[in-house]
Amino acid sequence: MTQAPETETTQRDYPALLREFDLFNPAHEEWKYDAFAYAREHCPIVRTEAGTGFWLITRYEDMRRILEDHQTFSSVQGSPAPTPVRLGPLDADPPVHTGLRKLLNPVFSKTFSLRFEDEMRANCRMLIDSFIDNGRVEILGEFAGPFVSRTLARMVFDEDDQDKMAAAIHVTDAVTEEGTPEAFFNLAMLSAAYLAAALENPPEREGVLRALVTGEIDGKPVPEEEALGSLNVIFLGGLDTTRSSIGNIVMQMAMHPELEQRVRNPRWVRSDMDEFIRQQAPVCTFARNVTRDVEVGGIRMKEGDRVLIRFDSANRDDKKFPNGSQLQFEPPRGGNAGFGLGIHRCLGAHLARVQIAIAFDELLARVTNFRLECAPEDIVWKPGIANAPDRIPVTFDKVC
Ligand code: HEM
């Protein structure tokens, strides 16, 4: 479904629409930004009965209040849709969460991510080679998706055997390209196989697998369920998000050609990149469970209630970010919650930023002048937790 721009003039019954807002309904993508803009103004915490029933959190300050109080707003079983698998730190509270982050933070630092820089650049160049002579590319499927999945397969599984690595890339590529339950099942099986092998024979090299199988939480080995959940969420959290960020930035450059000069300036990574991520938050939402009766923004919530944090709405809150639905680079805007806030702030933020910076460094060395092959309103945004378009077809010119 396409996302209509936010306007004050549309005649819809937003209170009624918000009451039935379902994050997994493709039709709701069409009006969600308008409805959230209405909610921020008139009913910032509003009840939807869709799914398990939620309080929708649409304003920045209410979101921050909730994300900074993990005791009252628990992440355990925090997935908006019931899931049979654990999701590592994402659906854990302290002390399990603290232990997992202590183990995983070092292998997601900027320095650690940059160890893979040469390989990431080589991957980008190979992918660009495959489409540059066509003068066109579907940027998500032919570039951003495979680039991100290959980086993750290498970083997480750290496989030396080229055939096994190719098989792992095949499995992770299928998750981004097809996204079917079967593709996710195959990924979970692959993670379980690598985890079992690593438990049997701990890898010597520093990395995600070694951290999970040799590390301890509260003096005890990491429970297998948490280790497997961590592998799952690293892939689930790391694929669609970075992929759609790269796609969105290309799309913005195609719609606003003057942006190419900004992205060509190496300083763009300091704050311009965050502004792209604020305005089109790649993670729309995640949930929390209320652990005690509490009042937020004048609304009384009861123990057991569920809240749905709308990162995409809070990040466009005019009270925090004037003219929030528009990109605005000068002066830089602080406080962006695109990567979340509080203890669950994104584990992969450094890696994502490194990947996005490398992707554009390599792309813009070879191509220029992106143009959308379809009208912007024909880009289809998928519903769900990630804010990801289906495909972004563009044409371009070669740099030389
Ligand atoms: C532009 C790219 C990305 C964006 C915008 C993004 C956004 C987010 C957000 C908003 C959260 C907080 C969720 C919450 O509070 O409930 C989060 C958490 C997380 N992200 Fe990302 N993410 C990105 C890339 C990645 C990558 C590359 C990885 C790993 C490979 C990753 C792994 C995770 C994990 C494991 C968590 C849970 C952290 C915790 O609970 O402590 N993300 N991300």
Side-chain angles (χ1 to χ4, degrees):
M1 223 11 91
T2 57
Q3 288 172 337
E6 286 159 57
T7 61
E8 288 296 322
T9 53
T10 15
Q11 299 296 319
R12 289 179 157 140
D13 180 356
Y14 289 120
L17 289 174
L18 286 160
R19 273 197 299 278
E20 64 178 38
F21 173 73
D22 177 356
L23 78 145
F24 295 109
N25 185 332
H28 295 188
E29 283 296 304
E30 193 188 342
W31 46 260
K32 75 169 187 187
Y33 279 116
D34 276 343
F36 294 156
Y38 175 92
R40 288 194 300 272
E41 198 61 36
H42 303 284
C43 47
I45 300 183
V46 56
R47 185 92 197 145
T48 169
E49 295 308 331
T52 53
F54 297 97
W55 294 107
L56 291 173
I57 309 299
T58 62
R59 273 191 190 162
Y60 185 92
E61 279 310 321
D62 293 332
M63 172 196 72
R64 190 166 72 170
R65 149 93 175 82
I66 290 171
L67 295 182
E68 289 181 348
D69 180 1
H70 63 265
Q71 278 153 336
T72 310
F73 300 97
S74 165
S75 287
V76 173
Q77 296 183 340
S79 173
T83 151
V85 289
R86 293 297 311 274
L87 298 173
L90 187 59
D91 66 352
D93 288 338
V96 172
H97 176 267
T98 322
L100 284 171
R101 286 297 297 246
K102 226 162 114 187
L103 293 177
L104 293 171
N105 282 345
V107 290
F108 281 93
S109 67
K110 184 174 175 191
T111 315
F112 192 83
S113 304
L114 283 170
R115 285 191 199 174
F116 300 85
E117 177 174 356
D118 290 348
E119 210 163 328
M120 287 189 220
R121 287 191 182 278
N123 254 324
C124 276
R125 287 181 199 141
M126 207 165 69
L127 290 163
I128 296 168
D129 284 343
S130 72
F131 64 73
I132 190 155
D133 290 328
N134 304 336
R136 65 163 307 284
V137 61
E138 194 288 283
I139 203 77
L140 296 173
E142 294 177 63
F143 178 69
F147 167 54
V148 169
S149 65
R150 282 162 204 199
T151 305
L152 275 182
R154 161 60 70 205
M155 274 189 70
V156 176
F157 297 134
D158 194 20
E159 178 63 77
D160 279 332
D161 181 323
Q162 285 306 311
D163 289 342
K164 283 195 189 159
M165 194 64 219
I169 285 171
H170 182 70
V171 171
T172 55
D173 276 358
V175 173
T176 47
E177 283 161 22
E178 298 157 22
T180 57
E182 191 192 348
F184 282 107
F185 177 76
N186 288 339
L187 174 60
M189 294 303 286
L190 185 74
S191 297
Y194 270 93
L195 184 65
L199 282 164
E200 182 89 12
N201 196 3
E204 280 176 18
R205 264 186 302 217
E206 195 187 356
V208 176
L209 275 174
R210 181 177 159 77
L212 290 171
V213 300
T214 63
E216 294 183 342
I217 299 182
D218 282 344
K220 296 188 195 119
V222 180
E224 229 172 286
E225 191 190 17
E226 301 295 349
L228 194 55
S230 298
L231 289 178
N232 286 336
V233 76
I234 286 166
F235 279 100
L236 299 181
L239 285 172
D240 260 4
T241 50
T242 316
R243 168 180 174 270
S244 71
S245 286
I246 295 171
N248 177 50
I249 296 168
V250 167
M251 191 164 84
Q252 293 296 335
M253 285 198 288
M255 292 190 300
H256 309 284
E258 71 282 4
L259 291 180
E260 183 178 324
Q261 280 319 311
R262 291 199 80 91
V263 179
R264 281 191 177 279
N265 184 335
R267 276 181 307 179
W268 88 286
V269 297
R270 287 198 206 152
S271 67
D272 290 359
M273 189 193 286
D274 289 83
E275 176 61 2
F276 284 111
I277 289 170
R278 179 199 65 78
Q279 193 255 357
Q280 195 60 265
V283 172
C284 309
T285 195
F286 212 68
R288 298 290 189 271
N289 290 305
V290 180
T291 61
R292 63 176 174 89
D293 293 2
V294 65
E295 190 173 313
V296 185
I299 298 287
R300 298 176 71 81
M301 298 180 184
K302 292 205 161 314
E303 180 183 344
D305 281 359
R306 310 246 291 147
V307 298
L308 203 57
I309 308 289
R310 292 306 310 193
F311 293 105
D312 49 1
S313 174
N315 261 339
R316 292 185 176 200
D317 186 344
D318 288 336
K319 288 200 172 65
K320 175 71 181 171
F321 308 108
N323 203 12
S325 63
Q326 303 300 317
L327 288 170
Q328 179 189 296
F329 297 97
E330 307 289 348
R333 307 202 202 230
N336 167 7
F339 286 110
L341 293 175
I343 63 168
H344 291 278
R345 193 179 143 74
C346 181
L347 172 70
H350 292 299
L351 170 63
R353 294 169 61 84
V354 164
Q355 284 180 295
I356 297 168
I358 289 175
F360 282 96
D361 204 32
E362 293 296 336
L363 265 179
L364 294 180
R366 314 266 303 273
V367 308
T368 179
N369 196 13
F370 287 114
R371 294 158 320 256
L372 270 181
E373 270 195 322
C374 61
E377 53 276 17
D378 290 338
I379 300 282
V380 177
W381 293 77
K382 292 184 287 186
I385 294 169
N387 193 25
D390 209 14
R391 48 197 309 278
I392 305 178
V394 288
T395 57
F396 55 79
D397 299 324
K398 278 204 218 182
V399 163
C400 50

